[in-house]
Amino acid sequence: MQAQKVKLATSNPESSTVYPILFIIGLVHLLNDALQSVVPALFPVLQNSMGLTFTQLGLIAFALNATSSLIQPVVGIITDKRPSPYALPIGLTFSLFGIIGLALAPSFWVIIISVLFIGLGSAAFHPEGSRVAYMAAGNRRGLAQSIYQVGGNSGQALAPLMAAYILLPLGQKGVLWFTIVAAAAVMLLLYIAAWYKQQVAYSNRPLKQKKTITVKSTDKSIGNRRIITFSICLLIFLVFARSWFHAGITNFYAFYAIENYGIPIADSQIYIFVFLGAGAVGTFFGGPLADRFGKRLVISLSMLGSAPLALLLPFVGPTLAYLLVAIIGFIILSSFSVTVVYAQELVPGRIGLVSGLIVGLAFGMGAVGSVALGVLADWVGLTNTIIFTVSLPFIGLLTFFLPSDQKVREMHN
């Protein structure tokens, strides 16, 4: 029943894809994640102006990602039961306050409080944003999630450019320019919330005329539930590993490039931009490829295909590193949206919870990775930390234990 309820929330429940809504929610996802990306983009500035250690930088990343991620499953559970269209603009208003605080913060602890506000705004946005993408998807769920998620990855890709061309020249107070971004996101989300509210009202009308069907538990259904539970736990672990890799590259590879290649801060940020920019392109193509060739296959290839290239990264020169980070970013982030759709099909009707677990909890556990990698970098050095980071994609071997797309369909039929 719940899966049907969400399906009816499109203009044509059977097949219509509402592209204007998808593009707007994708744009807002870009703006939201750009606001989040201001925090790691500010790291080189804060390290110079406040003398912060790698551990303190890791704690800032932890405060941001733990708040934005660990709360997402809770938000998803609540909104699965009671959809909350206006949680979207309200959440981004919290981010607006956090950006103002970050720009004016005089100390490490005020920075922590400010990023907590940004994290709260993101936690409110992501589960409901994913629901909007699902409602507007029609029968093209992979493509819809790709449009939505590529916005977020593009926003993250802007972080090194923001560092190089806004934050390094203007310093900490340059963050004030991003209040314009936050305000624009709030305005767009007011429009999205109005559409979302109409879809919820529309989907509730026919559901009231439906009868509830009780299905008795059988040995087969119990076995299917065990497979689904195992698969969700494994998928969360895989995304967890990918998020540690992502955190290692985005938070610490720039420092590695400065140390090993002898380049200035602004130039080091280009590596991160190339990685995230190529990743955004990979995210877009991953969804349609999964619609055609299967979701488990794309998830497997995204990790195992990037693993040998990632292992080469610490041992190449500065020029070849540009090419490698681009290819690695494209391949490993091609499954970013696919994992969400795969999880939604494993647990149909729980869009908010699934989004909170996969996009929020699992990917956000990169927050823990940020702290652990920061401590590791202070302890054993950047080179050893990067070598550990690039070995993580080999965990993708575990994807062979996930059920095939056909098996997932059979379990729910």
Side-chain angles (χ1 to χ4, degrees):
M1 290 294 292
Q2 288 174 307
Q4 188 177 8
K5 178 177 179 179
V6 175
K7 191 178 182 182
L8 285 170
T10 61
S11 297
N12 181 345
E14 297 302 323
S15 61
S16 178
T17 303
V18 190
Y19 287 104
I21 294 298
L22 285 176
F23 289 132
I24 293 173
I25 198 67
L27 173 60
V28 176
H29 198 182
L30 184 154
L31 299 178
N32 176 83
D33 283 28
L35 294 175
Q36 276 192 268
S37 297
V38 168
V39 178
L42 197 61
F43 280 179
V45 174
L46 296 176
Q47 188 183 48
N48 288 335
S49 64
M50 294 187 179
L52 301 183
T53 65
F54 286 122
T55 300
Q56 286 176 309
L57 295 178
L59 286 171
I60 293 171
F62 175 80
L64 173 68
N65 291 322
T67 308
S68 66
S69 304
L70 298 181
I71 296 176
Q72 280 193 44
V74 178
V75 174
I77 291 171
I78 294 171
T79 55
D80 278 337
K81 295 179 179 177
R82 181 178 295 179
S84 304
Y86 288 96
L88 291 165
I90 291 172
L92 264 291
T93 302
F94 274 93
S95 296
L96 174 60
F97 291 141
I99 287 293
I100 294 171
L102 185 62
L104 305 177
S107 67
F108 171 73
W109 290 109
V110 177
I111 290 171
I112 292 290
I113 294 170
S114 299
V115 300
L116 289 176
F117 272 87
I118 297 172
L120 284 171
S122 184
F125 169 76
H126 278 101
E128 288 296 82
S130 187
R131 190 189 308 279
V132 168
Y134 188 95
M135 292 164 67
N139 61 1
R140 308 201 66 185
R141 294 179 186 173
L143 175 63
Q145 277 296 326
S146 287
I147 292 172
Y148 171 65
Q149 297 293 354
V150 78
N153 285 1
S154 298
Q156 294 173 25
L158 294 175
L161 297 184
M162 292 187 290
Y165 299 111
I166 299 177
L167 300 178
L168 287 176
L170 300 179
Q172 187 177 342
K173 290 189 177 179
V175 175
L176 284 172
W177 283 102
F178 294 93
T179 58
I180 300 172
V181 174
V186 171
M187 293 298 104
L188 289 170
L189 285 176
L190 287 171
Y191 173 80
I192 288 287
W195 178 85
Y196 180 178
K197 185 177 180 180
Q198 290 177 347
Q199 303 310 302
V200 171
Y202 171 78
S203 65
N204 283 339
R205 286 200 300 271
L207 286 173
K208 293 178 181 178
Q209 301 171 5
K210 301 286 184 180
K211 293 182 180 180
T212 302
I213 300 174
T214 302
V215 179
K216 294 181 180 180
S217 295
T218 63
D219 290 342
K220 183 177 180 180
S221 65
I222 293 171
N224 287 343
R225 284 199 295 270
R226 289 174 179 170
I227 293 172
I228 290 169
T229 301
F230 168 80
S231 300
I232 285 292
C233 292
L234 177 56
L235 196 64
I236 289 172
F237 178 72
L238 290 166
V239 178
F240 173 82
R242 189 183 65 193
S243 73
W244 272 52
F245 176 81
H246 189 275
I249 298 297
T250 56
N251 289 335
F252 298 106
Y253 187 76
F255 295 109
Y256 172 84
I258 293 169
E259 183 179 287
N260 287 269
Y261 300 149
I263 58 178
I265 294 175
D267 290 348
S268 72
Q269 295 297 312
I270 303 301
Y271 287 101
I272 312 304
F273 170 72
V274 170
F275 172 77
L276 294 174
V281 177
T283 298
F284 179 79
F285 282 101
L289 288 173
D291 284 339
R292 181 166 183 176
F293 298 108
K295 299 167 187 64
R296 191 186 72 167
L297 178 62
V298 172
I299 294 170
S300 298
L301 292 179
S302 74
M303 296 193 73
L304 295 178
S306 61
L309 297 175
L311 208 58
L312 289 174
L313 186 59
F315 306 104
V316 301
T319 302
L320 185 56
Y322 284 115
L323 178 62
L324 277 181
V325 295
I327 298 173
I328 293 166
F330 180 91
I331 295 174
I332 200 163
L333 292 181
S334 64
S335 65
F336 194 97
S337 63
V338 179
T339 51
V340 178
V341 179
Y342 183 81
Q344 288 173 348
E345 294 186 357
L346 277 171
V347 192
R350 304 301 299 275
I351 307 304
L353 174 60
V354 165
S355 174
L357 288 173
I358 301 301
V359 180
L361 178 63
F363 187 77
M365 288 305 287
V368 179
S370 296
V371 176
L373 293 173
V375 173
L376 190 64
D378 285 331
W379 183 30
V380 301
L382 276 171
T383 298
N384 289 328
T385 301
I386 293 297
I387 290 173
F388 169 76
T389 299
V390 299
S391 67
L392 290 170
F394 283 98
I395 293 175
L397 288 167
L398 296 176
T399 56
F400 292 110
F401 292 101
L402 292 171
S404 67
D405 296 57
Q406 179 64 29
K407 176 65 175 178
V408 172
R409 287 191 292 269
E410 290 174 356
M411 285 191 295
H412 292 297
N413 287 337

